[in-house]
Amino acid sequence: MVTRTRALSGHARNVLSALLDAGGRWSHGYELAKSANVKSGTLYPLLIRLEAQGYLAAEWQTANEGGRPPRHAYRLTPSGIALARANPPGQVLTDAARRRPATT
């Protein structure tokens, strides 16, 4: 597994939150795009990256309906669950904000 050195983007946080809300069930890309409000051009590279880093498990699933192609499904691994819980949506800090002293 790769150790993260950069803050997660807002899109990544939304996708992780959607997967966390799925409660361990497999989720498909279309379903994730809708629930996380992320376009497919952003979603799939993100899913590939999170899987390569060990935060997601992925598998091809056959469709229940005849004639439909298999679909790729995703769910969080234990390290992905920890990452999702540590990075809820809406708490994205920019580098400039991290360096700025806190005000009262």
Side-chain angles (χ1 to χ4, degrees):
M1 177 179 11
V2 175
T3 303
R4 294 203 55 81
T5 57
R6 295 183 348 190
L8 290 173
S9 68
H11 293 303
R13 290 169 185 263
N14 290 343
V15 170
L16 288 169
S17 177
L19 286 163
L20 188 62
D21 289 345
R25 287 179 286 117
W26 292 99
S27 298
H28 299 102
Y30 179 74
E31 171 187 0
L32 286 171
K34 286 181 63 177
S35 61
N37 195 25
V38 176
K39 294 187 178 190
S40 62
T42 301
L43 177 67
Y44 290 103
L46 176 61
L47 292 173
I48 291 168
R49 208 168 35 250
L50 290 170
E51 181 189 7
Q53 294 171 345
Y55 297 117
L56 295 182
E59 72 174 25
W60 286 100
Q61 295 180 341
T62 56
N64 293 336
E65 301 169 23
R68 298 194 129 209
R71 298 191 304 172
H72 218 175
Y74 306 88
R75 69 179 174 191
L76 293 172
T77 62
S79 63
I81 292 170
L83 182 67
R85 288 182 177 155
N87 294 283
Q91 293 188 354
V92 176
L93 296 176
T94 64
D95 289 340
R98 281 191 208 105
R99 289 189 294 264
R100 194 176 310 145
T103 57
T104 56

